Amino acid sequence: MSALKNAQMTGSLPRMDLLGRLREAQIVDTKPVLPAEILSLILEQLTVLDLVHFARLSKRMREMVYDDTRWVRRLRLMGCWNDAAARTAAEEARRKKIESLNSTQEQQLKKTATTKRIITPESIMEARRGPRKPSIPHVSITAVQKGTSKSRADGQDGENDGFDFVALSPTTPDPLPDHQPVDTLSALEVISTARSIRGTARQEYGRIHGALNMYYKDALRSKHPSNARIFRVYRDPVQQAAMLSQLVKFANSDLSLGWQAREEKLLLMMSAFEDAVSREFEQGLKLGDVDGRMKKYAHVLVTLNGGQRAVDLWITDNPVIKDRTGLGDPMDCISPNNQDHLFLEEAHSFLSHLSSAFNAQVTVIDRVFPASVSVVVPYLQKIGNEVLATYIDTLFVYLQEKSTESYVRAISGVYDQSLRFAKTLRPPQASGDEFYEAVDKLVADIFAPYAATYFSEELALFKRRSEIEVSGWERQLSQQDASLESMYMTNINRQADKRDFLSSFKKVVMMPVNVLPSFDISSRFGGKSPAIRASDNEDNLNAYQAPPSQTSSRPDTPNPRNGPAMLVSRSGTPIPEPPTTELAAKAAILKSKLEGIRTLFSLEVALNLVHMAKSSIDRAAVFARVKGIFDADARNECEVIFIMLLRTLGDRHVKAGFDQAVAQLANYNPRAASDQSQPGVAPLVMFLELVNVGDLIQQMLDVFYEQELVATRLTDRHDFLNPTVKEKKRFEQMLDERVAAGLNKGIEVLMAEVEFVCATTQNVEDFNPGATGMVINKIVDITPSKTAIWVVEVVSAHTKMLVGSTDKNMLDVFNQEIGLRLFATLCKHLKRQRISVSGSIKLISDMNHYFMFVQSLKNKDLLEYFKALRELAQIYLIDPSDAKELAAIIADADRFHGIFRAEEVYEYAERRADWYQVKSRVEKAMYGIGCCMM
C-alpha cells in the first residue's frame, strides 16, 4: 500500500503553480503488518463464510482467497479432484483457444483484403489512444440471499465461479440458509459429478458446498442421529447411505478450528447407521433371504463405506468354513498297513468337494453383492487359510515324520492337484485376471513353507536310491564271480593235477569264447521316445522287463535285490557241470572273466537310474508350471537331478566298466588261443558289445534330455554356460575317451590276431610253388589265398560291429587306424615270404583282395597305401630276363605314389625266389655297377 503525503514547503511558490506542488510531493511506502505466509496460514483456519468476508477487505485479500490452488486442495481432500483429468482439460482448452485465434485472424485478414479502409483524423486519434477498456459494472454488495442465482437455477454456468452468485453487502452477512435444495436427487451425486478443471475449482467447491453444507450443519446440531435432516428428507436407506458417505467426504474439507470434534460426531452418526443396517443384513443371512434383505442391505453398506462390514459378516458365517471337517480327512490319504503307500485319490476327492462348495458360494456372491465389491478374494483367502492349509499341513507334517519318499510324493502330487483345483474355481461376474492371480498366490503361499524342504529331500532321495542301485549291482556281481570260482574249484584234486598244470596251461587257459551277436542299435531308446514311463506312485522300480530283442541278445544282468541265491550264468544259460581238474577250472574262470566284459556295466541299471531320475524330475517339474513363484527353483532342481544322474551313471558305472574292460584287453594274449575255427578276436568282440551298450546308454540319455528337460523348457540347450549342457558334454567326452582307449587296445589285439593268422595259415607254396620239392602240374590258381580271405574276414567282422554304434568321426578314425596297422602288418608279412614268378599271381590276387576290402571302408587316404601295395606286387611278376625293366620299376618313385622309396622297394625285391640270379643285372641297371672278377 502506498500513499502520497505533502512535504513541508521550504520556500514560497506562486499559488497557481500546480506542477511545483507536485514536485514537492514525496512518496511514502508502507508495508502490510503481516507477511503473506502468515496470512495464508490464517486463511486455512477460516470457514468458507469467513473466507468470503475476508475477501472483502481488499483486492489483495480477494486474490488470496480466490487462489485456485486453495480450492483444489479442498477438492483433493474430498477425493473428487483428478490431476490427469485437469491436465487433459487444460490442454483441450488451450487447443480450442489456439484454433479460435487462428480462425479469427483468418477472418480479419480476409475482411481487410476485401474492405477499403478510409483514413480520417478521428481514426488516427483512436489508434493512438489504443483499445478501449471494458466498463466494469457496479456490483452491489448485499446480504447473503437464499437459493441460487437465476443462471444456476436455469442450469447455465456461464461466468459463474462458485460464490459469485452470492451477493455481498457491507453489513454483516447472515448465516448460510438452512433449507433443503430444490433438487435433492442431484445432491446425492454432487461429489461424484465434480469436474476437475483448472481455474474453476472455486466454482466446483461452491456447488458442492451449496448442496451439502445444510445437511452437514444440521447433522452437527442434532442431538440424536435419527433426528438429522437427511433421515427426514431421504427415506430410502440407499439414499441415506449415499448422503452420509458424501458428508464424511465433505467433512474432510473442513479445515477450520474444531474440525476434529465435528468429524468425530459425524463418524458416530455413520457408525450408528452402519450398526442398524448390519443387524438387518444379519437377519437376512440367518433367514437365507439372499435376494431380499441380504441383497438390499448389502448394497446399503456398499454405498455407505464400501461394504466391508457386510463382507466380513458373510465370510464369518459362511457354511463352507464352519463345516470344513465334512469335506475330507487328511489321514484317509495314508494306508493303515503301509506308511509308504499313499491314496492321493482322497486328496483329489477333498479338493473336488471344496471346489463345488466354493463355486456354489460364488453364485451367492453374484446375487448379493454388486460387482464393484471385492468379496471373492478375501473369501478365497479365508478358505485357503482355514480349510485348505489346515488339510495340507496335517498331511505333510505326519508324512515328514514317517517316510521321506511318501513325503516328497505327497507334496508334488497334492501341489499338482491344487493347481488343477485352482483351474476349476469359477470367478465371479465382472472379475478380471486378479482372481486367477489371487488363486495362484494362495496356492503358492500354502506350499511356500514346504518348497525348500521338498527340493532338498527330493535330491537326497534320488542320490540315496541311485547309490543303492549301483552299489547293489556291483556287490551282486562280485558275489556272483566269487560263487562261480568257488563252484568251479569244488571237485578238484589239487595234488593230482598240479604236476601237469604248467605244461598244459597254454593249451587250454585261453580257450576262445563264443562270439555274441551285435546289439541292436535300432532299439526304442534310439527312436522317438524313451522306454521309461512310470507313475509317481509306483512302489517297485524293478518291474521293468526288457523287450525280447534285448533279452535274446544280451546276457542277464545280476539283480541286486534277488540275492546270491539267484545265481545264473553271464550268458543266460544254465551253468555247466563243474570241471574235474584245477587246470580246467582256471580256464573256465578266465573264460568267465572274458565273457564278463559285457557285464561290466548293465543296461538294466541304467534304465533303473533313468527311471528314478524321471520320477524325481516329473515331481519337481510340477512346481515350474506357475511362473514367478517356484519355477526358478524347480528348474534348478531338475537340472541338478540330471547332473547327478550323469555323474552316477558315468563315473560310478560306465567309466569303471570301461576301465576294467580295457585292463582285461591289455592282459589278453590272442596268440595263445589254439582254436581258430571262427574268424574274430573274442575279447575285442566283447568290447565292441560293451561299446554298443555304452552308445545305447548315451542315446537313452540324449532322448531323456530332449524329452524331459528341453521339450518341457526346464533347461536351455543353447546356453553353453548351462550346467546341464556342460555336464552332458563331459559325459560324452568321457565315453569317447574310454571307447577310444578300448579300441586302441582292441586294435592291438586284432593286429596280433592278424599276425598270428598270417604266420600260421600262410603256406610256403602259396607264393613259391614247388618250394617243398613237390612238382605239381596244374593250372595256376588266381583266387586269393586262404590266409588273405581269413584276414579280411577277421578284420571286417570287427569293423562292421561299430557301424551305427558310434559317430562317423570315431568310426573313420577307427577304420583308418585298422587300415594303417593292417598295411604295416602285411608289409612285415611280405618281407618274411619268398615269392617266385609263378607264385606272384597268388600274391597279386591277395593284394587285390586286401584292396577291395579297404575300398569298402570308403577312406580315400587309406586307399593310396593299398594301391601302392598292389603295385609293389608287380615286381615279382617280371621275368628274370627283364632285369632292366625290374630295375626301372624299382627306381620309379611315382609308381608307388610316394608310399615306398626306391630303397624300400629294393628290399622287397630281395624277396624274389630268383633274386640272386638277377641281382647283379638289376644293380647294374640301377647304379651302373655289377660283379667283377679280378
Side-chain angles (χ1 to χ4, degrees), residues 641-656:
I641 291 175
F642 182 72
I643 291 173
M644 189 173 295
L645 170 65
L646 292 176
R647 292 178 180 177
T648 303
L649 192 57
D651 298 340
R652 285 292 312 277
H653 197 56
V654 176
K655 181 180 178 181

Side-chain angles (χ1 to χ4, degrees), residues 328-361:
D329 186 4
M331 291 296 105
D332 294 340
C333 299
I334 304 171
S335 175
N337 300 325
N338 186 4
Q339 299 288 344
D340 294 334
H341 188 68
L342 294 177
F343 298 106
L344 293 181
E345 296 81 4
E346 297 294 333
H348 176 72
S349 177
F350 165 78
L351 293 174
S352 299
H353 294 161
L354 181 60
S355 174
S356 301
F358 178 84
N359 292 336
Q361 296 301 315

